[in-house]
Short mmCIF file of all heavy atoms in Angstrom, two decimals:
data_model
loop_
_atom_site.label_atom_id
_atom_site.label_comp_id
_atom_site.label_asym_id
_atom_site.label_seq_id
_atom_site.Cartn_x
_atom_site.Cartn_y
_atom_site.Cartn_z
N MET A 1 0.82 -1.18 0.02
CA MET A 1 -0.02 -0.06 -0.03
C MET A 1 0.90 1.25 -0.03
O MET A 1 0.54 2.25 -0.61
CB MET A 1 -0.93 -0.02 1.26
CG MET A 1 -1.91 1.03 1.21
SD MET A 1 -3.05 0.77 -0.14
CE MET A 1 -4.15 2.05 0.16
N ASN A 2 1.93 1.17 0.73
CA ASN A 2 2.88 2.34 0.76
C ASN A 2 3.46 2.64 -0.61
O ASN A 2 3.63 3.85 -1.04
CB ASN A 2 4.00 2.05 1.75
CG ASN A 2 4.11 3.05 2.87
OD1 ASN A 2 3.30 4.03 2.91
ND2 ASN A 2 5.01 2.89 3.70
N THR A 3 3.72 1.58 -1.39
CA THR A 3 4.28 1.76 -2.69
C THR A 3 3.29 2.41 -3.60
O THR A 3 3.66 3.45 -4.37
CB THR A 3 4.67 0.43 -3.28
OG1 THR A 3 5.56 -0.26 -2.37
CG2 THR A 3 5.27 0.60 -4.70
N LEU A 4 2.00 2.15 -3.53
CA LEU A 4 1.03 2.76 -4.30
C LEU A 4 0.88 4.24 -4.00
O LEU A 4 0.75 5.10 -4.89
CB LEU A 4 -0.34 2.07 -4.04
CG LEU A 4 -1.56 2.64 -4.84
CD1 LEU A 4 -1.31 2.58 -6.35
CD2 LEU A 4 -2.83 2.04 -4.41
N VAL A 5 0.92 4.61 -2.70
CA VAL A 5 0.80 6.03 -2.33
C VAL A 5 2.07 6.80 -2.85
O VAL A 5 1.89 7.90 -3.28
CB VAL A 5 0.72 6.17 -0.74
CG1 VAL A 5 0.82 7.58 -0.33
CG2 VAL A 5 -0.58 5.47 -0.32
N ASN A 6 3.30 6.21 -2.69
CA ASN A 6 4.47 6.84 -3.21
C ASN A 6 4.40 7.01 -4.69
O ASN A 6 4.78 8.15 -5.22
CB ASN A 6 5.69 6.01 -2.84
CG ASN A 6 5.99 6.08 -1.38
OD1 ASN A 6 5.55 6.91 -0.60
ND2 ASN A 6 6.72 5.04 -0.95
N TYR A 7 3.82 6.01 -5.41
CA TYR A 7 3.68 6.14 -6.87
C TYR A 7 2.76 7.28 -7.21
O TYR A 7 3.09 8.07 -8.09
CB TYR A 7 3.20 4.89 -7.41
CG TYR A 7 3.07 4.75 -8.91
CD1 TYR A 7 4.17 4.72 -9.75
CD2 TYR A 7 1.80 4.73 -9.45
CE1 TYR A 7 4.07 4.73 -11.06
CE2 TYR A 7 1.67 4.66 -10.80
CZ TYR A 7 2.80 4.70 -11.57
OH TYR A 7 2.67 4.59 -13.00
N LEU A 8 1.59 7.39 -6.51
CA LEU A 8 0.68 8.46 -6.77
C LEU A 8 1.25 9.84 -6.43
O LEU A 8 0.97 10.85 -7.11
CB LEU A 8 -0.57 8.20 -5.96
CG LEU A 8 -1.40 6.99 -6.45
CD1 LEU A 8 -2.61 6.77 -5.51
CD2 LEU A 8 -1.80 7.16 -7.86
N VAL A 9 2.00 9.96 -5.39
CA VAL A 9 2.68 11.28 -5.08
C VAL A 9 3.62 11.60 -6.19
O VAL A 9 3.70 12.76 -6.58
CB VAL A 9 3.39 11.14 -3.59
CG1 VAL A 9 4.28 12.32 -3.43
CG2 VAL A 9 2.36 10.96 -2.52
N VAL A 10 4.44 10.69 -6.65
CA VAL A 10 5.31 11.03 -7.72
C VAL A 10 4.59 11.47 -8.95
O VAL A 10 5.04 12.40 -9.58
CB VAL A 10 6.35 9.82 -7.98
CG1 VAL A 10 7.08 10.00 -9.28
CG2 VAL A 10 7.27 9.49 -6.83
N LEU A 11 3.47 10.82 -9.26
CA LEU A 11 2.75 11.20 -10.48
C LEU A 11 2.14 12.58 -10.25
O LEU A 11 2.04 13.43 -11.19
CB LEU A 11 1.64 10.19 -10.73
CG LEU A 11 2.09 8.85 -11.33
CD1 LEU A 11 0.90 8.00 -11.52
CD2 LEU A 11 2.70 9.13 -12.68
N ALA A 12 1.63 12.89 -9.03
CA ALA A 12 1.04 14.20 -8.75
C ALA A 12 2.15 15.29 -8.86
O ALA A 12 1.83 16.43 -9.45
CB ALA A 12 0.40 14.24 -7.38
N VAL A 13 3.28 15.12 -8.34
CA VAL A 13 4.42 16.09 -8.46
C VAL A 13 4.82 16.25 -9.91
O VAL A 13 4.98 17.42 -10.38
CB VAL A 13 5.57 15.69 -7.51
CG1 VAL A 13 6.79 16.61 -7.85
CG2 VAL A 13 5.15 15.74 -6.12
N ALA A 14 4.88 15.22 -10.66
CA ALA A 14 5.21 15.26 -12.01
C ALA A 14 4.24 16.09 -12.84
O ALA A 14 4.44 16.94 -13.72
CB ALA A 14 5.42 13.96 -12.66
N ALA A 15 2.95 15.82 -12.56
CA ALA A 15 1.88 16.58 -13.21
C ALA A 15 1.91 18.06 -12.95
O ALA A 15 1.69 18.95 -13.73
CB ALA A 15 0.49 16.04 -12.83
N LEU A 16 2.20 18.40 -11.62
CA LEU A 16 2.33 19.85 -11.20
C LEU A 16 3.48 20.48 -11.90
O LEU A 16 3.43 21.68 -12.20
CB LEU A 16 2.48 19.94 -9.68
CG LEU A 16 1.13 19.66 -8.88
CD1 LEU A 16 1.51 19.65 -7.37
CD2 LEU A 16 0.09 20.75 -9.24
N LEU A 17 4.62 19.77 -12.13
CA LEU A 17 5.76 20.39 -12.74
C LEU A 17 5.63 20.34 -14.20
O LEU A 17 6.09 21.45 -14.89
CB LEU A 17 6.99 19.56 -12.32
CG LEU A 17 7.38 19.65 -10.86
CD1 LEU A 17 8.57 18.82 -10.71
CD2 LEU A 17 7.73 21.15 -10.45
N LEU A 18 5.04 19.44 -14.84
CA LEU A 18 4.99 19.36 -16.36
C LEU A 18 3.74 20.04 -16.93
O LEU A 18 3.83 20.46 -18.09
CB LEU A 18 5.07 17.87 -16.75
CG LEU A 18 6.31 17.16 -16.47
CD1 LEU A 18 6.20 15.73 -16.87
CD2 LEU A 18 7.44 17.78 -17.25
N GLY A 19 2.69 20.14 -16.13
CA GLY A 19 1.45 20.67 -16.67
C GLY A 19 1.56 22.02 -17.24
O GLY A 19 1.14 22.30 -18.39
N PRO A 20 2.12 22.99 -16.48
CA PRO A 20 2.20 24.35 -17.06
C PRO A 20 3.02 24.44 -18.29
O PRO A 20 2.69 25.18 -19.29
CB PRO A 20 2.82 25.21 -15.89
CG PRO A 20 2.52 24.45 -14.73
CD PRO A 20 2.46 22.96 -15.07
N SER A 21 4.15 23.68 -18.43
CA SER A 21 4.99 23.76 -19.63
C SER A 21 4.32 23.16 -20.83
O SER A 21 4.46 23.63 -21.86
CB SER A 21 6.35 23.09 -19.30
OG SER A 21 6.25 21.72 -19.23
N LEU A 22 3.61 22.05 -20.58
CA LEU A 22 2.81 21.40 -21.67
C LEU A 22 1.75 22.31 -22.18
O LEU A 22 1.47 22.40 -23.35
CB LEU A 22 2.29 19.98 -21.28
CG LEU A 22 3.30 18.99 -20.87
CD1 LEU A 22 2.64 17.70 -20.43
CD2 LEU A 22 4.10 18.66 -22.21
N TYR A 23 1.09 22.97 -21.30
CA TYR A 23 0.03 23.88 -21.62
C TYR A 23 0.66 25.14 -22.47
O TYR A 23 0.11 25.56 -23.46
CB TYR A 23 -0.71 24.50 -20.41
CG TYR A 23 -1.57 25.65 -20.68
CD1 TYR A 23 -2.93 25.23 -21.29
CD2 TYR A 23 -1.39 26.92 -20.47
CE1 TYR A 23 -3.80 26.29 -21.50
CE2 TYR A 23 -2.23 27.91 -20.70
CZ TYR A 23 -3.43 27.56 -21.29
OH TYR A 23 -4.30 28.59 -21.62
N GLY A 24 1.83 25.63 -21.98
CA GLY A 24 2.44 26.65 -22.75
C GLY A 24 2.92 26.22 -24.07
O GLY A 24 2.79 27.04 -25.05
N MET A 25 3.46 25.05 -24.21
CA MET A 25 3.84 24.52 -25.54
C MET A 25 2.66 24.44 -26.48
O MET A 25 2.71 24.83 -27.65
CB MET A 25 4.52 23.18 -25.41
CG MET A 25 5.86 23.29 -24.89
SD MET A 25 6.71 21.70 -24.62
CE MET A 25 6.07 20.58 -25.79
N ALA A 26 1.52 23.95 -25.96
CA ALA A 26 0.36 23.90 -26.87
C ALA A 26 -0.18 25.24 -27.29
O ALA A 26 -0.57 25.45 -28.37
CB ALA A 26 -0.78 23.11 -26.00
N ARG A 27 -0.12 26.28 -26.32
CA ARG A 27 -0.47 27.55 -26.63
C ARG A 27 0.39 28.24 -27.69
O ARG A 27 -0.09 28.88 -28.67
CB ARG A 27 -0.44 28.40 -25.36
CG ARG A 27 -0.94 29.80 -25.54
CD ARG A 27 -1.09 30.49 -24.15
NE ARG A 27 -1.39 31.89 -24.32
CZ ARG A 27 -0.64 32.93 -24.30
NH1 ARG A 27 0.62 32.71 -24.01
NH2 ARG A 27 -1.07 34.13 -24.45
N GLU A 28 1.76 27.97 -27.59
CA GLU A 28 2.67 28.53 -28.54
C GLU A 28 2.48 27.89 -29.96
O GLU A 28 2.53 28.60 -30.93
CB GLU A 28 4.13 28.20 -28.13
CG GLU A 28 4.58 29.02 -26.86
CD GLU A 28 4.62 30.55 -27.23
OE1 GLU A 28 5.05 30.87 -28.33
OE2 GLU A 28 4.32 31.33 -26.38
N ARG A 29 2.14 26.62 -29.93
CA ARG A 29 1.90 25.96 -31.30
C ARG A 29 0.63 26.49 -31.96
O ARG A 29 0.60 26.70 -33.14
CB ARG A 29 1.73 24.45 -31.09
CG ARG A 29 3.06 23.75 -30.86
CD ARG A 29 2.74 22.30 -30.64
NE ARG A 29 2.17 21.76 -31.91
CZ ARG A 29 2.73 20.79 -32.55
NH1 ARG A 29 3.92 20.25 -32.17
NH2 ARG A 29 2.18 20.26 -33.65
N ARG A 30 -0.32 26.78 -31.06
CA ARG A 30 -1.65 27.39 -31.66
C ARG A 30 -1.30 28.80 -32.20
O ARG A 30 -1.78 29.14 -33.31
CB ARG A 30 -2.69 27.45 -30.56
CG ARG A 30 -4.01 28.16 -31.08
CD ARG A 30 -4.98 28.17 -29.96
NE ARG A 30 -4.52 28.80 -28.77
CZ ARG A 30 -4.49 30.11 -28.46
NH1 ARG A 30 -5.01 30.86 -29.40
NH2 ARG A 30 -4.04 30.48 -27.30
N ILE A 31 -0.57 29.66 -31.46
CA ILE A 31 -0.25 30.98 -31.98
C ILE A 31 0.60 30.91 -33.20
O ILE A 31 0.40 31.67 -34.17
CB ILE A 31 0.43 31.72 -30.82
CG1 ILE A 31 -0.53 32.02 -29.70
CG2 ILE A 31 1.15 33.00 -31.38
CD1 ILE A 31 0.17 32.59 -28.43
N ASP A 32 1.58 29.98 -33.29
CA ASP A 32 2.43 29.87 -34.56
C ASP A 32 1.62 29.45 -35.71
O ASP A 32 1.78 29.95 -36.76
CB ASP A 32 3.45 28.78 -34.24
CG ASP A 32 4.55 29.29 -33.33
OD1 ASP A 32 4.74 30.47 -33.12
OD2 ASP A 32 5.34 28.49 -32.82
N ARG A 33 0.54 28.55 -35.51
CA ARG A 33 -0.28 28.16 -36.56
C ARG A 33 -1.13 29.36 -37.06
O ARG A 33 -1.34 29.53 -38.24
CB ARG A 33 -1.24 26.94 -36.10
CG ARG A 33 -2.01 26.51 -37.25
CD ARG A 33 -2.86 25.21 -36.74
NE ARG A 33 -3.83 25.71 -35.83
CZ ARG A 33 -3.94 25.27 -34.52
NH1 ARG A 33 -3.10 24.37 -34.08
NH2 ARG A 33 -4.84 25.77 -33.77
N GLN A 34 -1.61 30.13 -36.11
CA GLN A 34 -2.42 31.23 -36.51
C GLN A 34 -1.58 32.25 -37.24
O GLN A 34 -2.04 32.91 -38.28
CB GLN A 34 -3.04 31.98 -35.28
CG GLN A 34 -4.17 31.15 -34.70
CD GLN A 34 -4.74 31.74 -33.35
OE1 GLN A 34 -4.06 32.66 -32.80
NE2 GLN A 34 -5.79 31.18 -32.84
N LEU A 35 -0.30 32.55 -36.82
CA LEU A 35 0.53 33.47 -37.52
C LEU A 35 0.88 32.95 -39.03
O LEU A 35 0.92 33.70 -39.88
CB LEU A 35 1.86 33.69 -36.85
CG LEU A 35 1.66 34.47 -35.55
CD1 LEU A 35 3.01 34.50 -34.75
CD2 LEU A 35 1.19 35.86 -35.81
N ARG A 36 1.19 31.62 -39.14
CA ARG A 36 1.40 31.10 -40.44
C ARG A 36 0.19 31.22 -41.33
O ARG A 36 0.33 31.60 -42.50
CB ARG A 36 1.71 29.63 -40.35
CG ARG A 36 3.19 29.31 -40.03
CD ARG A 36 3.57 27.91 -40.24
NE ARG A 36 2.64 26.96 -39.57
CZ ARG A 36 2.79 26.46 -38.37
NH1 ARG A 36 3.84 26.80 -37.62
NH2 ARG A 36 1.95 25.56 -37.89
N GLU A 37 -1.03 31.00 -40.80
CA GLU A 37 -2.21 31.23 -41.64
C GLU A 37 -2.46 32.62 -42.05
O GLU A 37 -2.81 32.96 -43.19
CB GLU A 37 -3.47 30.70 -40.86
CG GLU A 37 -3.55 29.24 -40.64
CD GLU A 37 -4.70 28.75 -39.87
OE1 GLU A 37 -5.37 29.60 -39.38
OE2 GLU A 37 -4.88 27.55 -39.73
N ALA A 38 -2.12 33.59 -41.19
CA ALA A 38 -2.35 34.99 -41.41
C ALA A 38 -1.26 35.44 -42.56
O ALA A 38 -1.55 36.14 -43.39
CB ALA A 38 -2.12 35.77 -40.16
N ALA A 39 -0.03 34.85 -42.36
CA ALA A 39 0.97 35.27 -43.37
C ALA A 39 0.69 34.71 -44.74
O ALA A 39 1.04 35.30 -45.76
CB ALA A 39 2.38 34.70 -42.86
N ALA A 40 -0.01 33.54 -44.79
CA ALA A 40 -0.35 32.93 -46.08
C ALA A 40 -1.56 33.58 -46.66
O ALA A 40 -1.94 33.31 -47.83
CB ALA A 40 -0.61 31.47 -45.90
N GLY A 41 -2.19 34.59 -45.93
CA GLY A 41 -3.31 35.26 -46.50
C GLY A 41 -4.64 34.59 -46.35
O GLY A 41 -5.64 34.90 -46.88
N ARG A 42 -4.69 33.48 -45.65
CA ARG A 42 -5.94 32.77 -45.39
C ARG A 42 -6.80 33.54 -44.33
O ARG A 42 -6.22 34.17 -43.46
CB ARG A 42 -5.68 31.36 -44.86
CG ARG A 42 -5.05 30.55 -45.95
CD ARG A 42 -4.93 29.07 -45.42
NE ARG A 42 -3.60 28.63 -45.65
CZ ARG A 42 -3.00 27.78 -44.98
NH1 ARG A 42 -3.58 27.15 -43.93
NH2 ARG A 42 -1.76 27.32 -45.24
N SER A 43 -8.05 33.39 -44.49
CA SER A 43 -8.94 34.13 -43.51
C SER A 43 -8.96 33.23 -42.29
O SER A 43 -8.73 32.01 -42.20
CB SER A 43 -10.32 34.25 -44.07
OG SER A 43 -10.91 33.01 -44.33
N GLN A 44 -9.28 33.86 -41.10
CA GLN A 44 -9.33 33.12 -39.87
C GLN A 44 -10.51 32.21 -39.87
O GLN A 44 -11.56 32.60 -40.45
CB GLN A 44 -9.45 34.10 -38.69
CG GLN A 44 -8.29 34.96 -38.49
CD GLN A 44 -7.08 34.09 -37.96
OE1 GLN A 44 -7.28 33.16 -37.31
NE2 GLN A 44 -5.92 34.56 -38.35
N PRO A 45 -10.42 31.05 -39.33
CA PRO A 45 -11.52 30.01 -39.36
C PRO A 45 -12.79 30.53 -38.62
O PRO A 45 -13.86 30.26 -39.06
CB PRO A 45 -10.99 28.80 -38.73
CG PRO A 45 -9.79 29.21 -38.11
CD PRO A 45 -9.28 30.42 -38.68
N LYS A 46 -12.56 31.30 -37.51
CA LYS A 46 -13.67 31.73 -36.81
C LYS A 46 -13.83 33.33 -36.95
O LYS A 46 -13.44 34.08 -36.06
CB LYS A 46 -13.61 31.45 -35.31
CG LYS A 46 -13.62 29.92 -35.07
CD LYS A 46 -13.47 29.66 -33.65
CE LYS A 46 -13.54 28.16 -33.33
NZ LYS A 46 -13.34 27.86 -31.96
N ALA A 47 -14.34 33.82 -38.14
CA ALA A 47 -14.36 35.17 -38.28
C ALA A 47 -15.60 35.75 -37.52
O ALA A 47 -16.67 35.14 -37.44
CB ALA A 47 -14.63 35.50 -39.79
N ARG A 48 -15.35 36.85 -36.84
CA ARG A 48 -16.35 37.39 -35.98
C ARG A 48 -17.17 38.48 -36.85
O ARG A 48 -16.60 39.19 -37.62
CB ARG A 48 -15.80 38.22 -34.82
CG ARG A 48 -15.10 37.29 -33.86
CD ARG A 48 -14.58 38.02 -32.73
NE ARG A 48 -14.00 37.14 -31.66
CZ ARG A 48 -13.47 37.55 -30.58
NH1 ARG A 48 -13.49 38.79 -30.27
NH2 ARG A 48 -12.92 36.72 -29.73
N ARG A 49 -18.47 38.42 -36.71
CA ARG A 49 -19.34 39.40 -37.37
C ARG A 49 -19.39 40.67 -36.57
O ARG A 49 -19.16 40.61 -35.33
CB ARG A 49 -20.69 38.77 -37.56
CG ARG A 49 -20.66 37.69 -38.61
CD ARG A 49 -22.19 37.36 -38.90
NE ARG A 49 -22.80 36.47 -37.88
CZ ARG A 49 -24.02 36.12 -37.79
NH1 ARG A 49 -24.86 36.67 -38.69
NH2 ARG A 49 -24.40 35.44 -36.88
N ALA A 50 -19.72 41.74 -37.13
CA ALA A 50 -19.91 43.06 -36.49
C ALA A 50 -20.98 42.87 -35.45
O ALA A 50 -22.10 42.36 -35.71
CB ALA A 50 -20.25 44.07 -37.54
N GLN A 51 -20.75 43.38 -34.26
CA GLN A 51 -21.72 43.28 -33.23
C GLN A 51 -22.68 44.46 -33.23
O GLN A 51 -22.30 45.58 -33.34
CB GLN A 51 -20.86 43.38 -31.82
CG GLN A 51 -21.80 42.98 -30.66
CD GLN A 51 -20.95 43.00 -29.38
OE1 GLN A 51 -19.94 43.59 -29.34
NE2 GLN A 51 -21.40 42.27 -28.43
N LYS A 52 -23.95 44.10 -33.17
CA LYS A 52 -24.97 45.07 -33.21
C LYS A 52 -25.35 45.40 -31.84
O LYS A 52 -25.55 44.48 -30.91
CB LYS A 52 -26.22 44.56 -33.90
CG LYS A 52 -26.02 44.33 -35.44
CD LYS A 52 -27.24 43.84 -36.04
CE LYS A 52 -26.98 43.56 -37.55
NZ LYS A 52 -28.14 43.05 -38.30
N SER A 53 -25.50 46.66 -31.49
CA SER A 53 -25.82 47.04 -30.09
C SER A 53 -27.27 46.61 -29.73
O SER A 53 -27.49 46.15 -28.67
CB SER A 53 -25.62 48.51 -29.93
OG SER A 53 -26.45 49.27 -30.73
N SER A 54 -28.20 46.87 -30.60
CA SER A 54 -29.59 46.64 -30.29
C SER A 54 -30.46 46.78 -31.55
O SER A 54 -30.07 47.61 -32.44
CB SER A 54 -30.04 47.49 -29.17
OG SER A 54 -31.50 47.27 -28.93
N SER A 55 -31.56 46.18 -31.59
CA SER A 55 -32.42 46.38 -32.73
C SER A 55 -33.45 47.52 -32.39
O SER A 55 -34.06 48.03 -33.35
CB SER A 55 -33.18 45.12 -33.02
OG SER A 55 -33.90 44.77 -31.96
N ARG A 56 -33.52 47.85 -31.21
CA ARG A 56 -34.46 48.98 -30.80
C ARG A 56 -33.70 50.30 -30.87
O ARG A 56 -32.55 50.40 -30.66
CB ARG A 56 -34.98 48.84 -29.39
CG ARG A 56 -35.81 47.57 -29.27
CD ARG A 56 -36.27 47.33 -27.79
NE ARG A 56 -36.28 48.52 -26.98
CZ ARG A 56 -36.42 48.35 -25.61
NH1 ARG A 56 -36.42 47.26 -25.06
NH2 ARG A 56 -36.43 49.47 -24.94
N SER A 57 -34.52 51.36 -31.18
CA SER A 57 -33.88 52.64 -31.24
C SER A 57 -33.65 53.14 -29.82
O SER A 57 -34.41 52.77 -28.88
CB SER A 57 -34.71 53.66 -32.02
OG SER A 57 -35.92 53.87 -31.33
N THR A 58 -32.62 53.95 -29.62
CA THR A 58 -32.33 54.42 -28.28
C THR A 58 -33.04 55.75 -28.04
O THR A 58 -33.20 56.60 -28.91
CB THR A 58 -30.75 54.62 -28.05
OG1 THR A 58 -30.28 55.44 -29.04
CG2 THR A 58 -30.11 53.30 -28.14
N VAL A 59 -33.50 55.96 -26.86
CA VAL A 59 -34.15 57.18 -26.45
C VAL A 59 -33.31 57.84 -25.41
O VAL A 59 -32.91 57.21 -24.40
CB VAL A 59 -35.67 56.91 -25.91
CG1 VAL A 59 -36.35 58.22 -25.48
CG2 VAL A 59 -36.42 56.19 -26.93
N PRO A 60 -33.04 59.15 -25.48
CA PRO A 60 -32.22 59.83 -24.42
C PRO A 60 -32.94 59.71 -23.14
O PRO A 60 -34.12 59.79 -23.04
CB PRO A 60 -32.14 61.22 -24.92
CG PRO A 60 -32.58 61.27 -26.34
CD PRO A 60 -33.38 60.12 -26.58
N SER A 61 -32.15 59.62 -22.05
CA SER A 61 -32.72 59.57 -20.71
C SER A 61 -33.17 60.91 -20.30
O SER A 61 -32.53 61.96 -20.62
CB SER A 61 -31.59 59.03 -19.82
OG SER A 61 -32.03 59.08 -18.50
N THR A 62 -34.26 60.91 -19.49
CA THR A 62 -34.75 62.14 -18.98
C THR A 62 -34.60 62.34 -17.51
O THR A 62 -35.12 63.14 -16.85
CB THR A 62 -36.35 62.26 -19.37
OG1 THR A 62 -36.93 61.14 -18.72
CG2 THR A 62 -36.62 62.36 -20.73
N ALA A 63 -33.76 61.40 -16.89
CA ALA A 63 -33.50 61.46 -15.54
C ALA A 63 -32.69 62.67 -15.26
O ALA A 63 -31.83 63.13 -15.94
CB ALA A 63 -32.75 60.22 -15.12
N THR A 64 -32.97 63.33 -14.14
CA THR A 64 -32.19 64.46 -13.57
C THR A 64 -31.59 64.14 -12.26
O THR A 64 -32.13 63.40 -11.43
CB THR A 64 -33.15 65.75 -13.53
OG1 THR A 64 -34.22 65.40 -12.62
CG2 THR A 64 -33.70 66.10 -14.88
N TRP A 65 -30.55 64.84 -11.99
CA TRP A 65 -29.84 64.64 -10.70
C TRP A 65 -30.11 65.77 -9.82
O TRP A 65 -30.12 66.76 -9.60
CB TRP A 65 -28.33 64.47 -10.92
CG TRP A 65 -28.05 63.25 -11.58
CD1 TRP A 65 -28.04 63.16 -13.01
CD2 TRP A 65 -27.82 61.99 -11.11
NE1 TRP A 65 -27.69 61.80 -13.33
CE2 TRP A 65 -27.59 60.99 -12.14
CE3 TRP A 65 -27.82 61.42 -9.80
CZ2 TRP A 65 -27.28 59.74 -11.99
CZ3 TRP A 65 -27.48 60.06 -9.66
CH2 TRP A 65 -27.25 59.22 -10.71
#
C-alpha cells in the first residue's frame, strides 16, 4: 500500500511540474499556426461578425440629478 501512495505522489508532483509547460507549448503551437495562416493570406476560421448594439432605437434619458 505504501508503494501505491508513493507512486501516486510522484505522479502528482510530475503533473504539477509538467502541466504548465505542456500547456504553454500547446498555446505557442496554436499561436504559431495562426501566424502562419495569417502570413499565407488565409482568413481566420472563426471570423467574427460586426456586433449590433440593439435592434431597438435608443431614447435619451430624461433622468435628472
Side-chain angles (χ1 to χ4, degrees):
M1 188 65 179
N2 239 358
T3 305
L4 177 63
V5 171
N6 289 339
Y7 182 71
L8 292 176
V9 167
V10 168
L11 284 177
V13 169
L16 286 173
L17 292 175
L18 294 176
S21 71
L22 293 176
Y23 174 76
M25 284 177 28
R27 183 173 178 258
E28 289 293 324
R29 287 180 59 122
R30 179 181 50 87
I31 291 171
D32 288 343
R33 186 178 65 241
Q34 289 175 346
L35 288 173
R36 278 194 309 270
E37 288 176 357
R42 294 185 227 154
S43 64
Q44 292 293 330
K46 295 181 180 178
R48 294 184 179 180
R49 288 192 280 168
Q51 188 177 24
K52 296 181 181 179
S53 62
S54 176
S55 59
R56 295 175 25 193
S57 64
T58 58
V59 179
S61 174
T62 56
T64 57
W65 294 89

